[in-house]
Amino acid sequence: MGRRTILAVAGWLATAVLATLIGVAAIRLVGESLTGTPGGVRSQEEIARALAEPAPTAPATSPGVPTSGPPVPTAAPASPTAEPGNRRSFATRGGGVVAECVPGGVYLVYWYAHQGYQVDDVDRGPDDDAEVKFVGPRGDDELKVRCVAGVPWLEPDDDD
């Protein structure tokens, strides 16, 4: 073999080794953020605390649309000239509502049915009272809301 061939092979090998070392160093530098656990590894105590926290409230589904699975988030429709800060949420085993007091009375901003329940009837308001009826495997469930001193309040169920 000629001297030129040996130098070409040696140069090629040196370039390949250098490129491999740079690649390995880059993977080590960036690789942990790509393949690591986001937020790090959690201890058993942290996991137990996270599981013990209450679940977030269910987001609203499209008003009046029955649900058979978990609630699907939707944008809340605009309410007629509501003043901020007077919204309250209420829930039963069948579902829940968010209500607010507006100049015309109580107004249901949105409502949702829990899994296995469907919305049967809605009186959205604004009116003296607003209500939603949920129907499901454990029977009917009704939420009736009215305004007291400008704040939404849940009316007691007449069936109990």
Side-chain angles (χ1 to χ4, degrees):
M1 266 206 269
R3 191 170 186 202
R4 251 181 154 168
T5 308
I6 292 175
L7 285 175
V9 169
W12 184 86
L13 283 174
T15 303
V17 167
L18 183 62
T20 302
L21 290 174
I22 291 172
V24 168
I27 288 172
R28 278 202 181 146
L29 183 65
V30 177
E32 190 157 322
S33 66
L34 295 176
T35 61
T37 304
V41 178
R42 294 183 178 218
S43 70
Q44 287 184 354
E45 292 82 21
E46 290 174 316
I47 292 170
R49 266 194 311 257
L51 290 173
E53 291 177 6
T57 59
T61 59
S62 297
V65 176
T67 59
S68 58
V72 179
T74 59
S79 63
T81 61
E83 293 190 25
N86 66 350
R87 286 186 179 183
R88 290 187 65 195
S89 60
F90 306 95
T92 65
R93 69 175 179 247
V97 299
V98 173
E100 66 186 359
C101 293
V102 296
V106 67
Y107 177 77
L108 297 182
V109 179
Y110 59 87
W111 55 92
Y112 57 90
H114 288 149
Q115 187 169 357
Y117 284 81
Q118 296 180 352
V119 175
D120 183 51
D121 189 29
V122 178
D123 177 9
R124 181 177 207 164
D127 203 346
D128 290 340
D129 56 33
E131 57 190 286
V132 177
K133 183 177 180 183
F134 304 102
V135 178
R138 294 175 62 193
D140 295 354
D141 210 3
E142 190 173 324
L143 279 170
K144 192 171 188 180
V145 182
R146 73 173 38 241
C147 287
V148 177
V151 178
W153 285 92
L154 185 63
E155 286 194 18
D157 192 1
D158 295 339
D159 297 338
D160 292 340

